[in-house]
Amino acid sequence: MPIPEDVTGFEIDADVRQELKSLPKTLADDVARNLVMVARLLDSEPEEAYQYSRVALRLASRVAAVREAAGFASYVTQRYSEALTEFRAARRMTGRVDLWPVMADCERGLGRPERALAMAGEPEVKQLDKAGQVEMRLVAAGARGDMEQFDAAVVTLQSPELASPAVHPWTARLRYAYAEALIAAGRGEEARDWFAKAAEADTDGTTNASERLAEIDGVEFVDALDPELAEEEAEQAAEPAKRKGGEASDEQVIFEDDEDVEEYYDEDDLEIDEDFDGVVPERATDAEKAEQADEAGESGK
């Protein structure tokens, strides 16, 4: 796949670059540039990111960073089986446990929530940092929801991290998940408060907590940039002008039927000549008018 000329490969993290030093330099540069494209496109164009990850994987499948990048590209495009394979390979190569929650979420994606719950109880969870443990709670609660164990999902998310007033990168998502779990458990009034708390903590817009809160409150947001809405408003604005241009003025009277005509004209205003043969007499010229006037004067004498 084509790579923009401005991508050098040095944009990747130093630790990833260090891993690539096991490859010949030219190959390492090619892999690095493909990994940069994966990182750039993962959120905005996940399918393209996936294609770049496959190129990197074909070039350097024995590099853990490449397997991890391929795993995330597969994960965001919902290729959960491929993602799980890549994450397992990366974990075997590095011995790290930080991929454990996303591996469990792949099990959910494959329709195996019970396996995700089993992973939530494994010793690896205790090796995770605080953020990883919160992620594991989110996955476990999601698995409970998949199994329609909604009350259990609520209990799973109840933790010191949820109760803490401190805001961390994962706070908004945790509060949001708890609000959704409450909704599923039929506890809508409590859910509203937690959506509000999630919106308060979500300064980066990682959730749609504000929209969910507005939905519960019955507030409807209107997109001012919606072209259909703009067209509708333009038509509404033009309607009074149309009506004004189409209405008759006070000096112009339009009759709708014969009855209106009869009311407007008095019978004496119209004299109908029953002997009129349909021929309009010609107008007299000025000379004829003068001659007629002379004749009238002589007859008067």
Side-chain angles (χ1 to χ4, degrees), residues 16 21 43 54 64 93 97 104 111 127 144 166 171 174 188-189 194 196 218 229 231 235 278 282 285:
V16 176
K21 285 186 175 181
D43 293 332
R54 303 312 290 181
M93 292 176 179
V97 297
Q127 301 176 40
R144 292 289 187 187
T171 299
L174 179 60
E189 292 185 3
W194 283 99
L229 179 63
E231 182 177 352
E235 290 179 356
E282 296 182 357
T285 63

Side-chain angles (χ1 to χ4, degrees), residues 5-6 18 26 51 96 104 111 124 154 173 187 231 253 293:
E5 295 182 0
D6 65 318
Q18 183 66 33
T26 301
Q51 297 302 325
R96 290 162 30 210
E124 283 83 353
V154 171
R173 293 177 55 240
R187 297 161 61 177
E231 182 177 352
V253 179

Side-chain angles (χ1 to χ4, degrees), residues 1-45:
M1 293 185 66
I3 298 176
E5 295 182 0
D6 65 318
V7 176
T8 64
F10 287 95
E11 299 88 344
I12 60 176
D13 293 340
D15 54 346
V16 176
R17 191 76 189 178
Q18 183 66 33
E19 282 190 59
L20 295 179
K21 285 186 175 181
S22 61
L23 303 173
K25 186 178 186 310
T26 301
L27 179 60
D29 290 341
D30 289 343
V31 173
R33 296 179 71 210
N34 278 281
L35 292 180
V36 171
M37 295 306 297
V38 173
R40 280 189 178 185
L41 299 171
L42 196 60
D43 293 332
S44 59
E45 300 290 342

Side-chain angles (χ1 to χ4, degrees), residues 117 136-146 149 152-154 156-157:
L117 283 175
M136 197 68 242
R137 277 190 183 277
L138 291 170
V139 173
R144 292 289 187 187
D146 295 341
Q149 299 174 1
V154 171
T156 299
L157 292 171

Side-chain angles (χ1 to χ4, degrees), residues 131-201:
Q133 291 178 6
V134 170
E135 288 297 327
M136 197 68 242
R137 277 190 183 277
L138 291 170
V139 173
R144 292 289 187 187
D146 295 341
M147 300 168 68
E148 298 186 356
Q149 299 174 1
F150 303 121
D151 290 329
V154 171
V155 173
T156 299
L157 292 171
Q158 291 173 345
S159 61
E161 294 80 20
L162 179 67
S164 173
V167 175
H168 300 279
W170 37 260
T171 299
R173 293 177 55 240
L174 179 60
R175 294 176 180 179
Y176 183 89
Y178 188 61
E180 289 285 17
L182 289 170
I183 289 283
R187 297 161 61 177
E189 292 185 3
E190 296 176 66
R192 188 208 174 279
D193 293 337
W194 283 99
F195 277 126
K197 292 178 180 179
E200 181 182 357

